[in-house]
Amino acid sequence: MSTLILGIETSCDETSAAVVKDGTEVLSNIISSQIDIHRQFGGVVPEVAARRHVQNVLPVIEESLTASAITLADVDAVAVTYGPGLVGALLVGVAAAKCIAFAKSIPLIGVQHIAGHIAANFLTEQRFSTPFLALVVSGGHTELVRVESLMQYTFLGRTRDDAVGEAFDKVARSIGIGYPGGPVIDRLAEQGNPEAYSFPRAWIERGNLDFSFSGLKSAVINALHHQRQKGEDIRVPDVAASFQAAVLDVLVQKTIWAVEQTGIPRVVVAGGVAANQGLRTQLQQAAEQNSFQVSFPPLSLCTDNAAMIAAAAYPLWETKKFAKLDLNAAANLSLVDWMTACLI
Ligand code: KG4
Ligand code: ZN
């Protein structure tokens, strides 16, 4: 008997619903993005995001069921992101999932968003044995995590200030190339000279697996400011390429250190910045040169989506770790908090 899990994701600015079979096969993955609305404000406006989720969540769920050629009666469990994220946005998905679980008397499964990003790697042909390492690079998180099992995580390093996606977005805003900045910087970087500017790399100290991106962000903003003051022309692709090179050097080197320190030769990349072409190429090269394996989610599953949430829920389905109907949004829920809550 196969298991169909309906996933719901509303933690930020994407309203998404998906149906995933047996934790690995995506039957549908509908994503209604609000990027065009938030772009005019230069970033996500939490109140606007929550209201849009209210409008979108039921149509998106219906579309997901229709695209999977099933009805709610065929769904075995409903899984929802309950943190971390914008609390008003999370609440919309959590309320919708609780209503479905109650009305259909099916289990409710609460999923942590980053566990979802990691699980996006399982929605491919590839199968992973544990332990493995996860390089989490999203708009809100930058972490190196040791994954013992899908319910056992240990942090090896994390950012001390900005997340890497946040640095991409803030630098893009200072160059005046819009929101979200990551994909635009990625494209521009291909046409620029990565050595045009020597931006700082925050190693912190050799072997340390923590990250820091706020110094780099300030260095880019200061360099642009000085050039503007001197009336110099700014070659935007060179700024993008030099910034991206500084980010990638640190991400790649710290991943190599994590492999060396743990002796675990398998890395999965998770989160929106996993879509970055430069990161994909450089980590692949590092993996070949340093004898480890690296995998990335398919491009369409790097940024927020509900298929990854349904995939992350599957081990909880198998072990019957269901949430109660009083599940609440938890804006700051960490992987470790979630793991503890699930194991109680
Ligand atoms: O994982 P995600 O969808 O949302 C969070 O959970 O935070 O990640 C969104 C982030 C944004 O900061 C966006 O600029 C970045 O991922 N991003 C990229 C690329 N595509 C999305 N950053 C660099 N290169 C890309 N191609
Ligand atoms: Zn995300």
Side-chain angles (χ1 to χ4, degrees):
M1 265 289 280
S2 57
T3 304
L4 297 183
I5 298 184
L6 170 67
I8 300 175
E9 156 64 44
T10 63
S11 67
C12 191
D13 58 348
E14 261 97 28
T15 319
S16 180
V19 178
V20 173
K21 187 170 157 188
D22 297 333
T24 54
E25 190 186 334
V26 183
L27 300 193
S28 67
N29 185 31
I30 308 298
I31 303 170
S32 167
S33 173
Q34 306 175 4
I35 283 178
D36 288 341
I37 300 158
H38 298 289
R39 184 171 285 134
Q40 53 190 305
F41 303 106
V44 178
V45 185
E47 187 63 20
V48 175
R51 284 165 195 265
R52 283 287 160 156
H53 286 310
V54 171
Q55 287 172 347
N56 292 342
V57 73
L58 294 180
V60 163
I61 291 170
E62 273 180 29
E63 198 179 331
S64 166
L65 295 170
T66 309
S68 308
I70 62 167
T71 68
L72 267 186
D74 302 308
V75 170
D76 294 296
V78 55
V80 64
T81 308
Y82 72 107
L86 304 169
V87 72
L90 288 164
L91 277 170
V92 179
V94 169
K98 289 201 286 194
C99 289
I100 293 171
F102 179 65
K104 292 290 168 190
S105 300
I106 55 174
L108 172 70
I109 302 177
V111 175
Q112 201 265 5
H113 183 78
I114 298 301
H117 276 301
I118 295 172
N121 284 280
F122 311 146
L123 294 168
T124 61
E125 297 295 298
Q126 213 172 335
R127 294 289 158 263
F128 295 93
S129 53
T130 50
F132 60 81
L133 302 177
L135 173 67
V136 177
V137 280
S138 75
H141 292 79
T142 307
E143 284 146 10
L144 271 161
V145 186
R146 180 185 167 118
V147 183
E148 223 64 59
S149 78
L150 291 185
M151 291 311 303
Q152 253 184 302
Y153 304 91
T154 314
F155 287 111
L156 303 174
R158 60 176 101 201
T159 183
R160 296 184 179 180
D161 40 59
D162 291 350
V164 61
E166 189 182 354
F168 268 96
D169 295 337
K170 287 180 176 166
V171 164
R173 199 183 314 169
S174 72
I175 319 178
I177 53 175
Y179 173 86
V184 187
I185 291 191
D186 194 6
R187 271 198 305 279
L188 286 170
E190 277 177 28
Q191 306 146 30
N193 172 8
E195 287 166 10
Y197 296 79
S198 64
F199 291 135
R201 274 79 170 148
W203 301 115
I204 303 174
E205 66 218 32
R206 195 181 154 75
N208 188 302
L209 301 181
D210 280 346
F211 300 92
S212 166
F213 292 106
S214 73
L216 169 61
K217 174 197 69 189
S218 303
V220 178
I221 294 170
N222 287 341
L224 294 179
H225 182 68
H226 287 311
Q227 277 195 279
R228 283 187 192 119
Q229 272 190 333
K230 287 197 255 167
E232 288 175 10
D233 273 350
I234 294 169
R235 263 209 89 229
V236 173
D238 286 350
V239 181
S242 302
F243 161 75
Q244 184 161 300
V247 171
L248 300 191
D249 275 358
V250 173
L251 291 177
V252 172
Q253 184 58 59
K254 297 219 170 198
T255 304
I256 296 171
W257 285 341
V259 170
E260 286 171 1
Q261 287 174 23
T262 58
I264 299 175
R266 256 179 303 276
V267 178
V268 310
V269 189
V273 184
N276 187 274
Q277 290 304 331
L279 179 64
R280 292 171 95 96
T281 310
Q282 285 192 27
L283 262 183
Q284 196 61 57
Q285 282 167 357
E288 281 157 24
Q289 285 160 9
N290 294 273
S291 311
F292 65 91
Q293 291 170 353
V294 64
S295 65
F296 299 86
L299 276 181
S300 61
L301 299 177
C302 286
T303 43
D304 292 348
N305 67 87
M308 69 185 197
I309 301 304
Y314 189 68
L316 297 174
W317 160 264
E318 284 184 306
T319 51
K320 298 196 165 39
K321 303 283 184 202
F322 303 140
K324 300 203 186 79
L325 286 176
D326 64 358
L327 181 72
N328 202 354
N332 298 314
L333 183 74
S334 76
L335 265 178
V336 174
D337 296 339
W338 177 61
M339 177 177 93
T340 312
C342 290
L343 296 179
I344 288 170

